[in-house]
Amino acid sequence: MAVVFSHCLYHPLSSSSSSSSSYVLAVSLQSLLKLSRPRVLSVSASTTPSQIMDLHNKGRRKFIEFPYVSAPHKKLMVDLVSMLDSRFDSHLLPCTLPPDVQYYQNQSGTSHASLHIRSGHVSSPIDFILGSWIHCQLPNGGALNITSLSTYLNSSTDSPNFLMELIRSSPTSLVLILDLPPRKDLVLDPDYLQTFYEDTKLEAQRQLLEKIPEVRPYFSSSLYIRSVVSPTAILIRIESENVERMEEIIEDHVGPVAKQVLQLWLDKCASEKREVAEIERDYLQKRDKLVRTKTIEIDLASSLPRLFGPETAERVMAAVKEYFSG
Amino acid sequence: MAVVFSHCLYHPLSSSSSSSSSYVLAVSLQSLLKLSRPRVLSVSASTTPSQIMDLHNKGRRKFIEFPYVSAPHKKLMVDLVSMLDSRFDSHLLPCTLPPDVQYYQNQSGTSHASLHIRSGHVSSPIDFILGSWIHCQLPNGGALNITSLSTYLNSSTDSPNFLMELIRSSPTSLVLILDLPPRKDLVLDPDYLQTFYEDTKLEAQRQLLEKIPEVRPYFSSSLYIRSVVSPTAILIRIESENVERMEEIIEDHVGPVAKQVLQLWLDKCASEKREVAEIERDYLQKRDKLVRTKTIEIDLASSLPRLFGPETAERVMAAVKEYFSG
């Protein structure tokens, strides 16, 4: 099955980090506005800090529930979210998306979704971090489940982003997209290729999964998405004989590789300082903006209305655009 | 087997085009120098036009012999060369590579190669066209055979190039690289992606070959080469049960697809005029130059000395660099 719907979203806080998040949230809305970049906050200006915190915590609980996926699938997602939390919690602002964007469903109640986006503190290299899950009942009685997690750095650095998406169109089927998408033209910048893709040995991670007998290559139907990913991108489709085998593959193979790739991103992309010249920043901003705009167009614009109806789709897309076009 | 050696070369004239090529060659060396771009011609200034023509014809005959590959493999190469000939013959200058670069071998006579490069006329969008074959006896008694064909446009157009390489490490093994490598960052130029890769339906050609049961994806060991190719690049490895099946695959599947891709390149990339602004030309020249330099480094610098000895390798590389760094 082609990617029916593949936006890439994320939630930030693990359950163990409520005390530090409370600290971050114990600030006035005015302070929040100062801390964040000039992005329109989705909550109204009269919202109190405790209301923001409630909103954030409620959305976060819903997000890390991952209520429709199997135990190993949920564990993997929660582990990845925790890895980001332990590194970045104090650098992230609370999620200020409206409640009906943090969690939404279609009229008939057959499609459900959670969306969690947190901006980075103004001093952080993180623009925002985004997570989501989507569950849609299929006409054949089965269900489509997508969970995703992605990070977007700002133009203070040119390091790659992180992107992961798990798409399950049945319990024995999995499409995995796992990559550190580059933010420059690799053909024009062999040093960048060397630093982030050769020296990090990302290819070895790709090869680990390639060796699994059930693994086949996955080609996105969008040529633009194929152009956006790196040469070591993990783009695979797995069809297993039974559910148990699929869960085993997720637990023993996909999980360790996904964690290793995220760890590489944390150590090499999100932490190391890189000098970015002024002219280079303009280029980065232009390229980042184009990638985000095209991603929304490809991933959301066609599928959201179909799965959730036009009104909900419009509401969610408007909220996402605030971040993506910022 | 990984690509041991994968430079991409071409010869231009089919056997049926000797009369038109004679016409082109019936010019003085001085005229030739005026017609070609400011590239150092490999023959000395005292070489007469008839000597140039003899040199060209001799090298061309050796090239289109493809003496070590099977009949269907040879037929495919000759057909592709003929397609280029019928479109471009009058736009191409004769091959002026020294005789010991047009054909060379190692000291022990176990490795042989033919190389044919022709520059485009100054009024043509073609910078040069390059073809080759390589034959190397392997220690196990088998042989490695590589045939390749590629075209390089100049900065009067930003259209993609054409690239094809067939690598046979045994009679039942084939690696195929077939692509129109883009000359711009596709992420930053969705219109270019649309024009050359979506509208041309190149993906359908890739899918035709993907459906063959024996086809597996091929990943170049060089991440740079992976970055250079397009999102519809055909990068496959085929292992067949027996020689007959491999020849059938080449004749019935690889051949028609390769011809279709070259036809698309002829119609869409080499013929249609595209406006290229001055600033864009600088960018194109910089990118083209980098791609060529890196390609030599990756493809030739490591393998040529090993297969043909340091002296021959140096001689061939120096000649290729004249074109690649021009």
Side-chain angles (χ1 to χ4, degrees):
Chain A
M1 204 191 93
V3 180
V4 174
F5 177 57
S6 57
H7 68 218
C8 325
L9 323 163
Y10 156 71
H11 144 90
L13 300 175
S14 76
S15 51
S16 63
S17 63
S18 56
S19 60
S20 61
S21 66
S22 302
Y23 170 77
V24 173
L25 291 164
V27 288
S28 71
L29 185 58
Q30 283 310 81
S31 311
L32 271 182
L33 286 164
K34 277 182 208 151
L35 288 171
S36 74
R37 291 191 178 69
R39 176 174 291 143
V40 180
L41 288 176
S42 306
V43 290
S44 83
S46 63
T47 313
T48 66
S50 78
Q51 282 172 322
I52 291 177
M53 192 167 156
D54 284 349
L55 178 66
H56 168 90
N57 285 337
K58 201 174 160 193
R60 174 187 163 274
R61 275 195 298 274
K62 195 76 193 169
F63 172 64
I64 60 162
E65 244 180 49
F66 295 106
Y68 297 98
V69 297
S70 67
H73 186 152
K74 172 176 174 166
K75 185 177 181 309
L76 169 57
M77 293 307 298
V78 171
D79 285 354
L80 295 172
V81 167
S82 302
M83 284 172 72
L84 280 171
D85 279 353
S86 9
R87 181 70 65 96
F88 291 119
D89 195 36
S90 64
H91 295 270
L92 297 172
L93 301 174
C95 176
T96 57
L97 290 170
D100 59 358
V101 173
Q102 292 202 37
Y103 174 74
Y104 56 96
Q105 60 182 61
N106 66 349
Q107 275 201 323
S108 59
T110 54
S111 296
H112 301 255
S114 166
L115 168 57
H116 220 81
I117 309 183
R118 288 178 81 187
S119 293
H121 188 283
V122 74
S123 67
S124 141
I126 290 172
D127 194 7
F128 61 93
I129 291 184
L130 193 152
S132 86
W133 55 255
I134 283 171
H135 166 82
C136 300
Q137 286 175 32
L138 297 174
N140 64 7
L144 168 70
N145 282 293
I146 303 174
T147 62
S148 47
L149 193 59
S150 54
T151 68
Y152 295 82
L153 295 170
N154 60 39
S155 59
S156 69
T157 175
D158 61 3
S159 299
N161 289 320
F162 172 82
L163 164 67
M164 191 184 78
E165 195 161 297
L166 289 162
I167 303 155
R168 311 280 300 267
S169 58
S170 86
T172 56
S173 152
L174 167 69
V175 166
L176 170 66
I177 298 170
L178 177 62
D179 191 31
L180 306 187
R183 292 169 66 213
K184 302 180 86 169
D185 179 8
L186 297 177
V187 172
L188 263 178
D189 201 335
D191 290 343
Y192 188 93
L193 180 69
Q194 174 88 37
T195 303
F196 292 112
Y197 302 96
E198 286 168 358
D199 295 349
T200 52
K201 311 241 180 291
L202 271 165
E203 173 64 2
Q205 299 299 320
R206 195 194 65 75
Q207 289 182 2
L208 277 179
L209 294 185
E210 193 186 32
K211 280 179 196 152
I212 301 170
E214 292 93 339
V215 163
R216 299 285 172 272
Y218 169 73
F219 291 88
S220 166
S221 58
S222 156
L223 300 188
Y224 192 80
I225 297 295
R226 291 190 206 172
S227 308
V228 162
V229 295
S230 83
T232 54
I234 294 170
L235 302 164
I236 54 174
R237 172 194 305 276
I238 306 175
E239 303 285 343
S240 68
E241 266 207 356
N242 53 52
V243 185
E244 292 68 32
R245 173 62 181 153
M246 180 57 81
E247 302 311 341
E248 184 184 285
I249 291 173
I250 293 177
E251 211 165 343
D252 299 345
H253 303 284
V254 172
V257 167
K259 286 175 197 171
Q260 184 61 30
V261 172
L262 181 56
Q263 192 61 50
L264 276 170
W265 181 80
L266 288 168
D267 296 342
K268 191 84 184 177
C269 307
S271 304
E272 286 183 14
K273 285 265 175 211
R274 283 175 62 89
E275 287 292 319
V276 179
E278 197 56 36
I279 189 167
E280 194 73 358
R281 286 195 188 200
D282 292 345
Y283 163 84
L284 274 174
Q285 279 167 354
K286 187 181 164 193
R287 199 177 189 278
D288 283 349
K289 190 171 176 174
L290 195 55
V291 170
R292 296 172 187 188
T293 309
K294 287 290 292 179
T295 306
I296 292 187
E297 196 183 293
I298 295 162
D299 274 355
L300 304 187
S302 64
S303 45
L304 261 192
R306 192 160 39 84
L307 297 174
F308 293 92
E311 258 179 61
T312 303
E314 205 167 305
R315 189 173 71 236
V316 173
M317 281 183 55
V320 172
K321 273 184 189 161
E322 275 187 27
Y323 292 85
F324 273 46
S325 60
Chain B
M1 203 193 91
V3 180
V4 175
F5 178 56
S6 56
H7 69 220
C8 323
L9 322 163
Y10 156 72
H11 143 91
L13 299 176
S14 76
S15 51
S16 63
S17 61
S18 55
S19 59
S20 59
S21 66
S22 303
Y23 169 78
V24 174
L25 291 164
V27 287
S28 72
L29 184 58
Q30 282 309 83
S31 312
L32 271 182
L33 285 164
K34 277 183 209 150
L35 288 172
S36 75
R37 291 191 177 69
R39 174 175 292 143
V40 180
L41 287 177
S42 307
V43 290
S44 83
S46 61
T47 314
T48 66
S50 78
Q51 282 171 323
I52 292 178
M53 192 166 155
D54 284 350
L55 178 66
H56 167 91
N57 285 336
K58 199 174 163 194
R60 174 186 164 276
R61 274 196 299 274
K62 193 77 192 168
F63 172 64
I64 60 159
E65 242 180 48
F66 295 106
Y68 297 98
V69 297
S70 65
H73 186 152
K74 172 176 173 167
K75 184 176 181 310
L76 168 57
M77 292 306 299
V78 170
D79 285 354
L80 295 173
V81 167
S82 302
M83 284 171 74
L84 280 171
D85 280 354
S86 9
R87 182 71 64 97
F88 290 119
D89 195 35
S90 64
H91 295 270
L92 298 172
L93 302 174
C95 177
T96 57
L97 289 171
D100 59 359
V101 172
Q102 292 202 36
Y103 174 73
Y104 56 95
Q105 60 181 59
N106 65 350
Q107 276 201 322
S108 59
T110 54
S111 296
H112 301 254
S114 165
L115 167 59
H116 219 81
I117 309 182
R118 287 179 80 188
S119 295
H121 187 283
V122 75
S123 67
S124 140
I126 290 171
D127 194 7
F128 60 94
I129 291 184
L130 192 153
S132 87
W133 56 256
I134 284 172
H135 167 80
C136 301
Q137 286 175 30
L138 297 175
N140 64 7
L144 168 72
N145 283 293
I146 303 173
T147 61
S148 46
L149 194 57
S150 54
T151 67
Y152 294 83
L153 295 170
N154 60 38
S155 58
S156 71
T157 174
D158 62 3
S159 298
N161 290 319
F162 172 81
L163 164 68
M164 192 186 77
E165 194 161 299
L166 289 162
I167 303 156
R168 311 280 301 266
S169 57
S170 86
T172 56
S173 154
L174 167 69
V175 166
L176 171 66
I177 298 169
L178 177 63
D179 192 30
L180 306 187
R183 291 168 68 214
K184 303 179 86 170
D185 179 7
L186 298 177
V187 172
L188 263 177
D189 202 336
D191 290 343
Y192 188 94
L193 180 69
Q194 175 89 39
T195 302
F196 293 111
Y197 301 97
E198 286 168 357
D199 295 349
T200 52
K201 310 245 181 289
L202 271 166
E203 174 64 1
Q205 299 300 320
R206 195 192 65 75
Q207 288 181 3
L208 276 179
L209 294 185
E210 192 186 33
K211 279 179 197 152
I212 302 169
E214 291 94 338
V215 163
R216 300 283 172 271
Y218 168 72
F219 291 88
S220 166
S221 58
S222 157
L223 300 188
Y224 193 80
I225 297 296
R226 290 191 207 171
S227 308
V228 161
V229 296
S230 84
T232 54
I234 294 170
L235 302 164
I236 54 174
R237 174 196 302 278
I238 306 174
E239 304 285 344
S240 68
E241 267 208 355
N242 52 53
V243 185
E244 292 68 31
R245 173 64 180 150
M246 180 59 79
E247 302 311 342
E248 184 184 286
I249 291 173
I250 292 177
E251 210 165 344
D252 298 345
H253 304 283
V254 172
V257 168
K259 286 175 197 170
Q260 185 59 31
V261 172
L262 180 56
Q263 193 60 51
L264 276 170
W265 181 82
L266 288 168
D267 295 342
K268 192 83 185 176
C269 307
S271 304
E272 286 183 14
K273 285 264 177 214
R274 283 176 63 89
E275 286 292 320
V276 179
E278 197 55 37
I279 188 168
E280 194 74 359
R281 285 194 188 201
D282 292 345
Y283 164 84
L284 274 174
Q285 279 167 353
K286 187 182 164 193
R287 200 178 188 278
D288 283 350
K289 190 170 177 176
L290 196 55
V291 170
R292 295 171 187 189
T293 309
K294 288 289 294 180
T295 306
I296 291 186
E297 197 182 292
I298 295 162
D299 274 355
L300 303 188
S302 65
S303 45
L304 261 193
R306 192 159 40 83
L307 297 174
F308 293 92
E311 257 179 63
T312 303
E314 205 168 306
R315 187 172 73 236
V316 174
M317 281 182 55
V320 172
K321 272 183 189 162
E322 274 187 29
Y323 292 84
F324 273 47
S325 61

